[in-house]
Amino acid sequence: MENLLILKGNIIFTQTPEEFKVYKDSYIVSNKGKIEGIYNILPEKYQNCLIKDYRNRLIIPTFVDLHLHASQFIQCGMGMNKKLLDWLNDYTFKLEKDFSKAQFAQEAYNSFADELIKRGTLRACIFATSSTIGTEILFEILKKRGIGAYIGKVDMDRNAPESIIESKDQLIKGTKYLIEKYKNEKLVKPIITPRFAPTCSDELLKELGSLANKYDLPVQSHLDENLDEIKWVQSLFPKTKNYSQAYYLNDLFGQTKTVMAHCIYLNEDEINLVRENNVMLVHCPDSNINLRSGIMPVRKYLDLGVPIGLGSDIAGGHRIALNESMVRAVQLSKILNINSPGIKPLSIQEVFYLGTKSGGKFFGNTGSFEKGYSMDALIIEDDKLISGRYSIEDRLEKFIYTGDDRNICARYVEGKYIEI
Amino acid sequence: MENLLILKGNIIFTQTPEEFKVYKDSYIVSNKGKIEGIYNILPEKYQNCLIKDYRNRLIIPTFVDLHLHASQFIQCGMGMNKKLLDWLNDYTFKLEKDFSKAQFAQEAYNSFADELIKRGTLRACIFATSSTIGTEILFEILKKRGIGAYIGKVDMDRNAPESIIESKDQLIKGTKYLIEKYKNEKLVKPIITPRFAPTCSDELLKELGSLANKYDLPVQSHLDENLDEIKWVQSLFPKTKNYSQAYYLNDLFGQTKTVMAHCIYLNEDEINLVRENNVMLVHCPDSNINLRSGIMPVRKYLDLGVPIGLGSDIAGGHRIALNESMVRAVQLSKILNINSPGIKPLSIQEVFYLGTKSGGKFFGNTGSFEKGYSMDALIIEDDKLISGRYSIEDRLEKFIYTGDDRNICARYVEGKYIEI
């Protein structure tokens, strides 16, 4: 019995991108962290179990953020007048080097974890920095907090300041150390993380691909974020046909499960490679606008059946709350629609699906409330003026558009209550 | 001495759109609500006065929101899949009729006022509803709270549901009643508010123009928000050359000071009319995207010297915090820049200027900390990880991009502390 969790409330989630599934005043039951079912009337076998009755509140899946930089959290929302390279030099790189100091890393990553968890993101693919010590601290913090995360030591051996790059051998040594230490963890796991092709030598990419294969580890990186970057990659990797190939030829593009951020400018060959290798793309709407990168053609990719999740891309994006990325994804799709009425804007159902079940697939069966899925849930509380007047769908939309952490009154991962 | 207010901290504001004025660890002094000066060393004559020492916090002007609908506050962030007309019918109009019930108006407007004030907007041009009773309640609430606002009973006599329109005579009677009651108030004042031309007969517009002239009252309405609306106006006002003329010919376009929301599609004639009559335009970026209206060519208007302020346009816009409108204004300008690199994006300085001093001109000398301006100030508190590492400009930018009401630890209007 102690493995059972029964929550009662207004349950709402997206099994498909087309519509919300809504169960008013119902029970959701999990056993050992996996969902057994949703019931309007609780089955006989559970009659003696404790019920956490959240009354008129909403019960929704937790958010899944497929791309963000933990080390950039404290620089969120600064230097936004600047273009990418100046911004990196003046803000990001300066800050990154301090994460090799344990005390600073501890303080900054704790502050990051607090906000991430408070705002309902309980599964995430995270970039740390190149520092092994710093990255280990992040592993420990998130492990203790009980959320699900893939955490990458950010590997790069060229085209970045001396203070934050390491030699290939140092990088691999640190990466291996973290893999060995965390490979058997249940919730917090390593992910192979070349920063992006321009900062990695071909040799480094090759070794990282070998590690991914050897340990069967997932991969994350950046791809086709802006046009200058694409030209740069062409000049750095003259033998590869396109940007994606720089990863693909090094076993870093779907040979093990892979998530690639941005992907605004994939050409047809790259789209085919993405589809053949089941690479998950991450739409980071705020970041793409803040850094003037462009707008991902999400509708086109979705129509082609490409898997897509959402990313806050802290700190190219400025808001760590994933519901805000959902809103911005709708807004950017509306801008595309204004300019080309044939491109249907994203619905609230679709962006919720992207930020929960679709992104959640990267972690297995998470992000939905179907049978067998992980019991990852947020409890949402709203004002009585709203809850008495509007439908459950409207109330969820309102939370996504206007809510913040103060509307989230409880959080669960694999059936366990998460403290904040 | 009791008329003096002395605040100490890091003072930052925009006297011009080009740059922040920054006074580190300085004193700002007001007398009877008007600013006397900013001093690094406090002048002798103030040596015995009480100082409110906010230490390392920021002191900034309060936000000025030039366009929002108080009655739509509780519907924020709902129905965002819908287009304008369905959205109005399914959400807005349904809700609006309830504001003629005193108890509901009281509850809903209190909730609106709470959020507006908490989030730092202490000057605003507000649409209520067509209900005289409801609008009077809003006047009383905001008067009691001590903020500065122009409040309009929303007049319309056609093309809206029966339940929320009144006859011209009823409308004028209610409007006059509110004018007489509040015309001598210092902070909360009436504003002539035809909803927008399509819902007003020519006769109603004419009478509203007469009222504006007779009492020397300002005017607010909507203009050139979307292309269908513009066509509709053409068919409803076949004799007027353009949408702006429908107001202008009725003395509602600069004959008394006037603020017009949206103005995305002004043609050259209209731009000239706006400039000649010194009409203030309101950029409402979130609303314009949420309702798929378009993007205001802000840079073009600014280059032509047209006065512009910012509006949250609750509930076409979904966030009542004006700092979020500032961010969205930057983001939309970056989208225009991505498509047309010749159009320079708005800087953080420029949008801060739009949302403080530029919009503040509608209220007289407000929105800046120059001598003679109203002492309208917010005190901003941030995390020690940030305040110890970054410049005052960076810290303000971070608050604008990522902050919320929890970062605002005090609010002043005309030198008076505002309770929340």
Side-chain angles (χ1 to χ4, degrees):
Chain A
M1 296 297 269
E2 71 262 36
N3 292 320
L4 282 178
L5 177 69
I6 306 179
L7 307 179
K8 185 172 185 226
N10 296 306
I11 299 160
I12 176 166
F13 62 101
T14 43
Q15 188 170 343
T16 67
E18 285 78 34
E19 56 173 9
F20 288 122
K21 285 275 213 185
V22 181
Y23 298 84
K24 199 170 156 56
D25 285 330
S26 295
Y27 303 85
I28 181 166
V29 179
S30 70
N31 192 356
K32 293 182 185 166
K34 302 292 172 220
I35 290 166
E36 297 207 328
I38 298 174
Y39 313 96
N40 190 246
I41 295 164
L42 199 64
E44 193 69 36
K45 59 179 171 174
Y46 303 124
Q47 289 301 356
N48 288 319
C49 305
L50 175 77
I51 294 166
K52 292 196 180 175
D53 185 350
Y54 285 108
R55 312 293 294 268
N56 191 30
R57 294 175 186 81
L58 309 182
I59 303 177
I60 69 172
T62 62
F63 298 142
V64 181
D65 189 335
L66 286 189
H67 183 69
L68 79 171
H69 298 260
S71 60
Q72 294 173 21
F73 175 65
I74 71 174
Q75 77 174 76
C76 275
M78 290 190 283
M80 296 274 104
N81 286 351
K82 300 193 183 244
K83 289 199 173 181
L84 182 62
L85 288 183
D86 286 342
W87 178 76
L88 285 172
N89 281 314
D90 293 351
Y91 291 87
T92 308
F93 292 152
K94 255 190 210 171
L95 188 61
E96 250 174 58
K97 70 175 165 37
D98 286 352
F99 282 86
S100 56
K101 297 172 200 153
Q103 197 194 331
F104 179 78
Q106 191 78 38
E107 209 169 357
Y109 283 144
N110 265 324
S111 149
F112 161 78
D114 284 346
E115 284 298 311
L116 188 74
I117 293 167
K118 272 203 302 194
R119 293 182 189 266
T121 295
L122 303 181
R123 302 269 177 182
C125 289
I126 302 173
F127 282 57
T129 69
S130 55
S131 163
T132 304
I133 297 168
T135 305
E136 188 172 4
I137 287 168
L138 182 58
F139 267 100
E140 289 301 314
I141 288 171
L142 295 184
K143 180 179 158 184
K144 198 169 159 194
R145 301 296 292 261
I147 74 162
Y150 284 115
I151 300 171
K153 165 172 152 65
V154 179
D155 288 331
M156 51 184 168
D157 62 352
R158 62 171 174 175
N159 294 326
E162 285 273 321
S163 57
I164 54 167
I165 66 173
E166 295 180 336
S167 70
K168 179 171 67 66
D169 292 347
Q170 275 177 299
L171 287 168
I172 297 297
K173 189 179 159 200
T175 303
K176 269 190 181 162
Y177 165 79
L178 293 169
I179 292 171
E180 289 294 344
K181 180 159 181 187
Y182 295 105
K183 66 182 179 187
N184 296 321
E185 283 296 330
K186 198 171 157 246
L187 279 165
V188 170
K189 300 178 190 184
I191 183 166
I192 297 297
T193 306
R195 188 177 199 124
F196 66 145
T199 58
C200 302
S201 66
D202 230 340
E203 299 70 39
L204 175 60
L205 290 176
K206 193 179 297 299
E207 289 221 30
L208 290 174
S210 303
L211 280 184
N213 275 328
K214 179 176 170 193
Y215 292 96
D216 191 22
L217 290 179
V219 173
Q220 63 179 352
S221 196
H222 300 85
L223 177 64
D224 287 333
E225 181 174 1
N226 81 46
L227 296 170
D228 287 342
E229 171 209 21
I230 294 171
K231 279 187 208 145
W232 194 21
V233 172
Q234 277 166 348
S235 73
L236 291 167
F237 297 86
K239 290 179 198 157
T240 62
K241 224 168 56 179
N242 54 49
Y243 192 163
S244 301
Q245 289 272 342
Y247 298 121
Y248 179 70
L249 297 176
N250 288 302
D251 285 354
L252 293 165
F253 206 72
Q255 289 87 353
T256 59
K257 72 177 175 180
T258 299
V259 67
M260 284 285 160
H262 309 306
C263 302
I264 299 172
Y265 299 105
L266 297 179
N267 64 31
E268 296 309 309
D269 283 348
E270 290 179 290
I271 292 175
N272 288 334
L273 201 64
V274 160
R275 293 171 69 187
E276 284 158 18
N277 290 278
N278 205 28
V279 170
M280 171 81 78
L281 310 187
V282 193
H283 180 33
C284 306
D286 263 325
S287 171
N288 295 163
I289 295 314
N290 289 341
L291 298 175
R292 286 185 262 165
S293 303
I295 300 179
M296 185 200 245
V298 180
R299 175 65 65 207
K300 175 182 166 186
Y301 294 162
L302 288 178
D303 287 347
L304 290 168
V306 174
I308 300 181
L310 289 181
S312 66
D313 191 23
I314 295 305
H318 57 286
R319 293 273 186 176
I320 199 167
L322 203 77
N323 56 307
E324 305 223 25
S325 298
M326 293 177 184
V327 173
R328 217 74 67 236
V330 172
Q331 289 187 315
L332 294 197
S333 77
K334 285 178 174 175
I335 287 171
L336 294 179
N337 170 266
I338 291 169
N339 295 329
S340 311
I343 304 175
K344 211 176 132 200
L346 297 174
S347 66
I348 189 71
Q349 291 82 352
E350 286 178 305
V351 293
F352 190 78
Y353 179 83
L354 294 182
T356 56
K357 185 173 173 183
S358 185
K361 287 176 191 162
F362 201 72
F363 294 83
N365 284 336
T366 74
S368 178
F369 287 154
E370 293 153 67
K371 192 171 158 62
Y373 273 63
S374 177
M375 179 64 134
D376 296 359
L378 304 177
I379 313 297
I380 307 300
E381 183 161 23
D382 50 17
D383 186 279
K384 69 178 185 341
L385 269 174
I386 286 95
S387 60
R389 177 179 279 263
Y390 293 102
S391 70
I392 291 165
E393 291 92 329
D394 279 339
R395 290 168 60 193
L396 175 58
E397 186 177 10
K398 189 182 182 62
F399 165 68
I400 294 168
Y401 269 85
T402 72
D404 66 27
D405 51 296
R406 289 170 283 194
N407 298 104
I408 305 179
C409 60
R411 298 149 188 83
Y412 294 89
V413 172
E414 299 201 343
K416 290 208 176 59
Y417 184 87
I418 302 295
E419 300 286 344
I420 58 163
Chain B
M1 295 297 269
E2 72 260 36
N3 292 320
L4 282 178
L5 177 69
I6 305 179
L7 307 178
K8 185 171 185 229
N10 296 306
I11 298 160
I12 176 166
F13 62 100
T14 42
Q15 188 170 342
T16 67
E18 285 77 34
E19 57 172 9
F20 288 122
K21 285 274 213 186
V22 181
Y23 298 84
K24 199 169 156 57
D25 284 332
S26 295
Y27 303 85
I28 180 166
V29 179
S30 70
N31 191 357
K32 294 184 186 165
K34 302 292 172 219
I35 290 167
E36 297 207 329
I38 297 174
Y39 313 95
N40 191 246
I41 295 164
L42 201 62
E44 193 70 35
K45 60 177 171 175
Y46 305 123
Q47 289 300 355
N48 287 320
C49 304
L50 174 78
I51 294 166
K52 292 197 180 175
D53 185 351
Y54 285 109
R55 312 292 294 267
N56 191 29
R57 295 174 186 82
L58 309 182
I59 303 177
I60 69 171
T62 62
F63 298 142
V64 180
D65 189 336
L66 286 189
H67 183 68
L68 79 170
H69 297 259
S71 59
Q72 295 173 20
F73 175 65
I74 70 175
Q75 78 174 76
C76 275
M78 290 189 284
M80 296 275 103
N81 285 351
K82 302 196 180 239
K83 289 199 170 178
L84 182 62
L85 288 183
D86 286 341
W87 178 76
L88 284 173
N89 282 315
D90 293 351
Y91 291 87
T92 308
F93 291 151
K94 255 189 209 171
L95 187 61
E96 250 174 59
K97 71 175 165 34
D98 286 352
F99 282 86
S100 56
K101 297 172 200 151
Q103 196 194 331
F104 179 78
Q106 191 78 37
E107 209 169 356
Y109 283 144
N110 265 324
S111 150
F112 161 78
D114 284 346
E115 284 299 309
L116 187 75
I117 293 167
K118 272 202 303 193
R119 293 180 188 268
T121 295
L122 303 181
R123 301 269 176 182
C125 290
I126 302 173
F127 282 57
T129 69
S130 55
S131 163
T132 304
I133 296 168
T135 305
E136 190 172 3
I137 288 169
L138 181 58
F139 267 100
E140 289 301 314
I141 288 170
L142 295 184
K143 181 179 158 183
K144 196 168 160 196
R145 302 295 292 262
I147 73 162
Y150 285 116
I151 300 171
K153 164 172 153 66
V154 180
D155 288 331
M156 51 184 169
D157 61 353
R158 62 172 174 175
N159 295 326
E162 285 273 323
S163 57
I164 54 166
I165 65 173
E166 295 180 336
S167 69
K168 180 171 66 68
D169 292 346
Q170 275 178 300
L171 288 168
I172 296 298
K173 189 180 158 200
T175 303
K176 271 190 180 164
Y177 166 78
L178 293 169
I179 293 171
E180 289 294 345
K181 181 158 183 187
Y182 295 105
K183 67 181 179 187
N184 296 320
E185 283 296 329
K186 197 169 158 248
L187 280 165
V188 170
K189 299 178 192 183
I191 183 167
I192 298 296
T193 306
R195 187 176 199 126
F196 67 144
T199 58
C200 302
S201 65
D202 230 341
E203 298 71 38
L204 176 60
L205 291 176
K206 192 177 298 299
E207 289 221 28
L208 291 174
S210 303
L211 280 185
N213 276 327
K214 178 177 169 193
Y215 291 95
D216 190 23
L217 290 178
V219 173
Q220 63 179 352
S221 196
H222 301 85
L223 177 65
D224 287 331
E225 181 173 1
N226 81 47
L227 296 171
D228 288 341
E229 171 209 21
I230 293 171
K231 278 187 209 143
W232 194 21
V233 172
Q234 277 166 348
S235 73
L236 290 169
F237 298 85
K239 289 178 199 158
T240 62
K241 223 168 58 178
N242 53 50
Y243 193 163
S244 300
Q245 289 273 342
Y247 298 121
Y248 179 70
L249 297 176
N250 289 302
D251 284 354
L252 293 164
F253 205 71
Q255 288 87 353
T256 59
K257 72 177 176 182
T258 300
V259 67
M260 285 283 160
H262 308 306
C263 303
I264 299 172
Y265 299 105
L266 297 179
N267 64 31
E268 295 310 310
D269 284 348
E270 290 181 289
I271 293 175
N272 288 333
L273 201 64
V274 160
R275 294 170 70 188
E276 284 158 19
N277 291 278
N278 205 27
V279 170
M280 170 82 80
L281 310 187
V282 193
H283 180 34
C284 306
D286 262 325
S287 171
N288 295 163
I289 294 315
N290 289 341
L291 298 175
R292 285 185 264 166
S293 304
I295 300 179
M296 186 201 246
V298 179
R299 176 63 67 206
K300 175 182 165 186
Y301 295 162
L302 288 178
D303 286 347
L304 291 168
V306 174
I308 300 181
L310 289 181
S312 65
D313 191 23
I314 294 306
H318 57 285
R319 293 273 188 177
I320 199 167
L322 203 77
N323 56 307
E324 305 222 27
S325 298
M326 293 177 184
V327 173
R328 217 74 67 236
V330 172
Q331 289 187 315
L332 294 197
S333 77
K334 285 178 174 174
I335 287 170
L336 294 179
N337 171 265
I338 291 169
N339 294 329
S340 311
I343 304 175
K344 211 176 132 203
L346 298 174
S347 67
I348 189 70
Q349 292 81 353
E350 286 179 305
V351 293
F352 190 78
Y353 179 82
L354 293 182
T356 56
K357 185 174 172 182
S358 186
K361 287 176 191 163
F362 201 72
F363 294 83
N365 283 336
T366 75
S368 180
F369 286 153
E370 294 153 67
K371 191 171 158 61
Y373 273 64
S374 176
M375 178 66 134
D376 296 358
L378 304 177
I379 312 298
I380 307 300
E381 182 160 26
D382 50 17
D383 189 87
K384 69 179 186 337
L385 269 175
I386 285 95
S387 59
R389 177 178 279 264
Y390 293 102
S391 70
I392 291 165
E393 291 90 330
D394 279 340
R395 290 168 60 193
L396 175 57
E397 186 177 9
K398 188 181 182 62
F399 165 67
I400 293 169
Y401 269 86
T402 73
D404 66 27
D405 50 296
R406 289 169 284 193
N407 298 105
I408 305 179
C409 60
R411 297 151 189 83
Y412 295 88
V413 172
E414 298 200 344
K416 290 208 175 60
Y417 184 87
I418 303 294
E419 300 287 344
I420 58 162

